[in-house]
Structures are given as C-alpha cells and as structure tokens.
Amino acid sequence: MHAWPASEVPALPGQGRDLRIHDTATGGLVTLDPGPVARIYVCGITPYDATHMGHAATYNAFDLVQRVWLDTKRQVHYVQNVTDVDDPLLERAERDGVDWTALAEKETALFREDMTALRMLPPRHYIGAVEAIPGIVPLVERLRDAGAAYELEGDIYFSVESDPHFGGVSHLDAAAMRLLSAERGGDPDRPGKKNPLDPMLWMAAREGEPSWDGGSLGRGRPGWHIECVAIALDHLGMGFDVQGGGSDLAFPHHEMGASHAQALTGEFPMAKAYVHAGMVGLDGEKMSKSKGNLVFVSQLRREGVDPAAIRLTLLAHHYRPDWEWTDQVLQDALARLDRWRAAVSRPDGPSAEALVEEIREALANDLDSPAALDAVDRWAALQQESGGTDIGAPGVVSRAVDALLGVAL
Ligand code: 5CA
Ligand code: ZN
C-alpha cells in the first residue's frame, strides 16, 4: 500500500536528545539506544469508519517518537499496518450493504488525508493485512510444525504456553486476561482449546466470508495478532525499538504478538519497549467506533478547524493518561495557535536557543508534550510583553515547533 506524503522536517541547530520512554513490559522508563537506524512498528487502523480523535492522539504520540529520533540525525524505519480484513470491517460492510474492500479503501484514503493534514510523518512501509497473507501462511505453518500451534475443527490456534515469556508485556492475571480476551476479539469460551486464552492464527474459510489460499493450512484468513507480527518481522526483524499502539492493545494484541514472534524465533524480546497511549474519551466513555461517541478529524476539517489547532489539542495532553475530548480543549488550542502565530510573525524576538533545548528535553522525557507547549507559551508571552532583539529568533521557533511538534505556524 502507499502511505501519505511527508511534510518537510526542518533541521535544527544543536543536538537532539535520546528518548526515555515508558515501557509497559517493565513498567518504567527506558532510555532507548537505537543505533543509526531506529525501528518502530505502530499498529494501524481497522478501516471501517473515519479517524477519530482517539486514533489521532495515538498516532500523534508515535509521530513525536519519530521526530525525536530524526532530531538525533538517525534514520527511522517506521512500519504501520492496515487491518483491512477483520470481523468489524466485514460486519459494517454487511450492515451498510457495501463491498468490504471498497469500504476499507475509502476509509484508508480518508485516514491518509487526515494524517497528511495533521502533519503526521508517514511510515516507510504501510502494509495491508491482505497483502501480507502470503508471508503469514509460512509463519503459521512453522508454528504448527514446531508444536506451538494446534488445529481445532480446521482453525489453527497458537498455544500461549509455547512462549515462556507469555504475560510479560501486560502482566495481567489469568482472570483479567480472560475477560479482556473475550472483549477484544478472542474466544476464551470455545470448547476444545488447550488454554482459553489461545488466540487464533488461521481461521478456516467460513461461508459467505472472504478467504485466501493457505497452503497446507487450507483456505481461510489470518488471525489478528499474527498479521502484525508477520509485517513487523518482515520489515524490522526481532528486537526492534518500539511496538506502539493505544493502551487497549496491550492485551491481548501486543502480548500475543510478542509471544508469536518469540516462539517463532526463539529470541527475546520482540521489542525493546512496548509503548501505549491512553484512551481519549467523550462524555465519560472511551471514544470507539463500536460505541459511536466520536469526534472525527475529517468532520472538524470540514467545519474549517485548522488542523494545526487539532494537533495542538492532542499535544496539550500527555500521551499516557486517558483524557476527555471537550469543546473547551479545542478552543484553548485555537487561542494558543493565534498567540503563537502572532509571536512568530515578527522578524525579531527573545532568544530562541534555550527554548529549542527545553522542547527537546521535554519530548525526550517520555514525550512530555504539555511541558513543550508550556515552554513555547512562555517564549510567546515574553515576545508579546517585551519583545526582543534577536533577529531570526521567531524563525527558529517556527522551525522547532514544526520539526519537533509537527505544527506549522
Ligand atoms: N487495527 C488494529 C490494530 S492492528 C486497531 O486497533 N485498529 S483501531 O482502528 O481500532 O485503532 C487504531 C489505533 O487507535 C490503535 O492503536 C488503538 O489502540 C487506537 N485507539 C482506538 N481508540 C482509541 C481511543 N479512544 N483513544 C486513543 N487511542 C485509540
Ligand atoms: Zn496491530
């Protein structure tokens, strides 16, 4: 699949900082040391509805990761998938009487537009689950042949017991895992499974549903977790730097994915950090396509809201805690954008050197974007109150805000 166009990332004076980021697996901050090429896999959308603020907030967090790394002059190998075949997508297409592939294409196209408008840097590889199927089949065969997977009425399940590190991403107890597995696409109550938590690797073809040639597995379609693992291993290999997504993916998706990869390769860990963004809510509930309590990026854009203000709304919240979308948080961002634009519109101003370092330090510290915004606020306030004589400082601020925060002033 093609991704979306990259906005330019201006080079900044001085040195970028190494990223310290919260890792769900160890429960603390880790300082990543990626070497010259940083590797990140971020779970992409299931394209059956438009991009909402929850999605945008999660992709904003990982865009900041990429920007911090680019600022250290590293290359970034960023991979993102599209879950372009899955039950919710098929169900929505059926409900609306449309072709599921057309629905997926339409929503993926809208996602690309939203990401472009928000100045999210594109992944280097943007891969659909369907196009990954030829690479998934041999992985499932290998797991089966190694005894890490088994057949149940034609479907193939992964045996969680085959990975000694299973549980090491989310650290949940068995009861919590069982509950979440039922809520998030698993089938813990299906009779005949070795362990209720075992996830499906390959689902045998069902009447009226799409299916693909699975070689020795028979016709069918892949399970959700193995899709992301196949794409990540193909393009990044084991031991990549960051596995990212929203906190609702920690279990089962990232837990199972890590176990699949570890059972396949015998190596540990799959990723050096498992990074999870908090859930954005609306009216007291997590924004979700299934609940329908959504604020869409595309809707706000249609209403004429500047995408830079949408982005500033996301940045005003630290990525990790859950938060609520309200009209007020957007109004605050619009006002901030006006203040910043006024401050950089003059040719001179207070020195920007310390500010660039403050933004860098804030982001390197577990992507503390609210602290970065505070620092820019203070510079803008100083500019408004007393100005400054540093010729070119406003230009430096503009470039830093663009390069590190993805906001075009
Ligand atoms: N296709 C899978 C991942 S392989 C998937 O979870 N798709 S999704 O469309 O449901 O979500 C895309 C990304 O947005 C995921 O990282 C998910 O964790 C995140 N996300 C979904 N809802 C919210 C929300 N309310 N707040 C923050 N992030 C969210
Ligand atoms: Zn995924």
Side-chain angles (χ1 to χ4, degrees):
M1 276 193 179
H2 67 282
W4 53 92
S7 48
E8 211 186 308
V9 182
L12 298 176
Q15 283 265 303
R17 301 263 203 292
D18 278 337
L19 178 63
R20 298 184 298 285
I21 199 153
H22 185 271
D23 167 34
T24 304
T26 51
L29 290 182
V30 292
T31 302
L32 294 170
D33 180 16
V37 180
R39 294 175 293 162
I40 175 168
Y41 185 91
V42 178
C43 281
I45 53 162
T46 305
Y48 69 91
D49 210 339
T51 317
H52 60 62
M53 289 308 155
H55 301 134
T58 290
Y59 296 113
N60 176 57
F62 297 102
D63 188 64
L64 295 180
V65 170
Q66 179 161 203
R67 288 172 184 278
V68 170
W69 279 334
L70 290 175
D71 187 40
T72 61
K73 310 280 185 279
R74 290 184 168 94
Q75 278 189 51
V76 182
H77 286 197
Y78 175 6
V79 180
Q80 191 180 122
N81 69 303
V82 185
T83 308
D84 57 358
V85 59
D86 199 11
D87 291 340
L89 173 68
L90 299 176
E91 284 157 18
R92 177 64 64 94
E94 168 95 24
R95 187 197 81 178
D96 296 350
V98 294
D99 176 55
W100 64 273
T101 55
L103 176 62
E105 270 170 35
K106 179 180 129 211
E107 298 301 352
T108 305
L110 185 58
F111 177 72
R112 289 188 187 98
E113 280 177 29
D114 288 337
M115 291 296 105
T116 308
L118 293 174
R119 288 176 96 72
M120 306 280 183
L121 296 171
R124 183 185 168 100
H125 298 285
Y126 193 46
I127 313 285
V130 171
E131 62 183 326
I133 291 175
I136 295 171
V137 171
L139 298 189
V140 177
E141 289 174 330
R142 256 167 61 195
L143 286 168
R144 183 198 55 194
D145 296 348
Y150 59 93
E151 188 184 328
L152 180 61
E153 296 157 334
D155 300 327
I156 312 281
Y157 280 91
F158 176 74
S159 187
V160 293
E161 268 121 46
S162 65
D163 173 28
H165 298 285
F166 175 71
V169 174
S170 65
H171 300 288
L172 296 170
D173 62 32
M177 285 186 180
R178 194 174 169 135
L179 217 66
L180 287 176
S181 158
E183 268 175 33
R184 297 175 180 167
D187 55 1
D189 298 321
R190 179 168 179 180
K193 290 172 66 174
K194 288 188 181 162
N195 182 316
L197 299 173
D198 291 345
M200 220 185 259
L201 289 167
W202 186 257
M203 177 161 67
R206 306 286 201 263
E207 186 65 37
E209 288 189 6
S211 63
W212 289 264
D213 179 15
S216 72
L217 309 171
R219 282 196 77 78
R221 63 179 158 104
W224 175 29
H225 320 304
I226 193 70
E227 289 167 2
C228 283
V229 169
I231 296 168
L233 293 184
D234 190 17
H235 294 282
L236 299 174
M238 276 302 268
F240 56 90
D241 296 289
V242 168
Q243 158 78 83
S247 59
D248 58 344
L249 297 188
F251 191 90
H253 189 49
H254 292 167
E255 187 78 71
M256 297 301 179
S259 280
H260 291 352
Q262 285 150 195
L264 271 165
T265 62
E267 292 170 39
F268 175 84
M270 179 186 78
K272 291 179 191 144
Y274 295 84
V275 179
H276 293 110
M279 290 291 111
V280 180
L282 183 71
D283 304 329
E285 279 216 75
K286 170 191 158 186
M287 238 184 236
S288 80
K289 288 180 271 208
S290 50
K291 289 199 196 94
N293 56 335
L294 304 168
V295 177
F296 294 115
V297 175
S298 45
Q299 180 61 33
L300 290 181
R301 289 200 291 123
R302 267 197 299 276
E303 288 166 13
V305 177
D306 189 326
I310 303 176
R311 181 99 195 214
L312 275 182
T313 312
L314 308 174
L315 291 162
H317 298 85
H318 190 264
Y319 80 96
R320 214 134 61 73
D322 296 348
W323 58 278
E324 279 274 305
W325 181 271
T326 61
D327 194 45
Q328 189 57 48
V329 294
L330 178 59
Q331 294 310 322
D332 293 347
L334 284 162
R336 173 176 266 142
L337 187 61
D338 283 347
R339 288 199 308 274
W340 289 13
R341 283 192 171 145
V344 299
S345 67
R346 298 189 217 162
D348 53 11
S351 164
E353 256 171 57
L355 172 59
V356 174
E357 296 314 312
E358 279 178 87
I359 301 173
R360 281 185 164 134
E361 186 50 39
L363 293 182
N365 180 24
D366 200 22
L367 307 177
D368 192 349
S369 54
L373 301 199
D374 283 347
V376 183
D377 280 346
R378 284 194 300 276
W379 182 89
L382 205 60
Q383 170 75 308
Q384 203 204 353
E385 282 154 23
S386 43
T389 54
D390 216 341
I391 302 286
V396 173
V397 173
S398 277
R399 284 198 294 282
V401 165
D402 188 358
L404 296 170
L405 301 169
V407 175
L409 292 179

